Amino acid sequence: MNDEQAGPERGAGPERSADEPEPKGIDLARRALEEARAAAKASGKAVGQGRASRGPLRPKRRRRGWSGPGPDDRDPQTLGSLAQSLSKQRGWSAHASEGTVMGSWARVVGDDIASHAQPTTLRDGILHVSAESTAWATQLRMMQSQILAKIAAAVGHGVVKELRITGPTAPSWRKGERHIRGRGPRDTYG
């Protein structure tokens, strides 16, 4: 066979002259792509659309091309609002509110109270607060309704239902398992 007969039999597409070298590498890939596009166009298929012609992989877009002057769900969101919506979706709102009471105690109740009393535990709506002195414990017991109102304003109603305020604990003189009942140590030091 000679070169003129070999070309049409192989079905390589357009005929090339005898002095043209056979395409290699990228030229061969371009020729194959052009032939595939021509065959697809001849059969009536969309050509050159890339992923858009496949349909389900492309995300749905809104009719408007830009967000405009009003708020839109595509506008940038603050990290705090995203975290709040995530905690609502996952059911973490109660735990986040409890964490706010414990972690932001000074901001919630004020610096004056926070410098003299610290929250210790929060379980079942009961917040245990430890005061630095018995005088402060008494003062906080009298201010209990105001403190509950401040907490409710900061984290929401129902998170803290009751306060249990305790003063400082005295040292224990009980040592070991065995002890004698009585009033405890008295002026016996000398």
Side-chain angles (χ1 to χ4, degrees):
M1 285 189 174
N2 57 18
D3 287 336
E4 293 173 16
Q5 294 174 349
E9 290 177 5
R10 288 189 302 193
E15 293 182 23
R16 56 179 159 69
S17 63
D19 57 341
E20 277 187 42
E22 189 169 324
K24 294 182 182 178
I26 189 124
D27 294 327
L28 184 61
R30 276 194 191 121
R31 177 182 277 173
L33 179 62
E34 288 172 6
E35 290 173 2
R37 282 184 178 164
K41 200 176 244 185
S43 66
K45 295 182 180 175
V47 178
Q49 300 293 323
R51 288 191 171 264
S53 62
R54 295 185 191 159
L57 296 178
R58 187 174 183 175
K60 293 182 180 181
R61 296 199 44 104
R62 302 179 94 185
R63 290 181 193 248
R64 277 192 329 221
W66 57 89
S67 67
D72 190 12
D73 59 345
R74 294 176 292 164
D75 289 341
Q77 303 293 318
T78 61
L79 183 62
S81 66
L82 291 175
Q84 185 177 18
S85 66
L86 179 67
S87 69
K88 282 182 183 178
Q89 289 173 354
R90 302 279 172 110
W92 299 338
S93 295
H95 297 294
S97 297
E98 292 173 5
T100 302
V101 172
M102 301 297 279
S104 303
W105 177 250
R107 184 180 56 82
V108 171
V109 297
D111 292 329
D112 191 32
I113 294 173
S115 63
H116 298 287
Q118 293 299 317
T120 54
T121 58
L122 175 58
R123 285 196 190 114
D124 301 324
I126 300 172
L127 178 65
H128 295 268
V129 178
S130 176
E132 72 177 10
S133 67
T134 55
W136 266 100
T138 304
Q139 183 69 24
L140 292 176
R141 284 186 197 109
M142 289 191 296
M143 297 176 57
Q144 190 167 6
S145 61
Q146 289 100 356
I147 295 171
L148 284 172
K150 286 181 178 182
I151 292 171
V155 296
H157 295 284
V159 177
V160 177
K161 299 171 189 158
E162 183 182 339
L163 288 178
R164 297 242 174 107
I165 301 167
T166 57
T169 56
S172 173
W173 297 97
R174 266 176 109 167
K175 306 286 191 252
E177 288 180 24
R178 301 172 201 265
H179 63 279
I180 300 172
R181 288 185 187 234
R183 294 185 356 200
R186 287 173 282 296
D187 190 17
T188 56
Y189 294 110

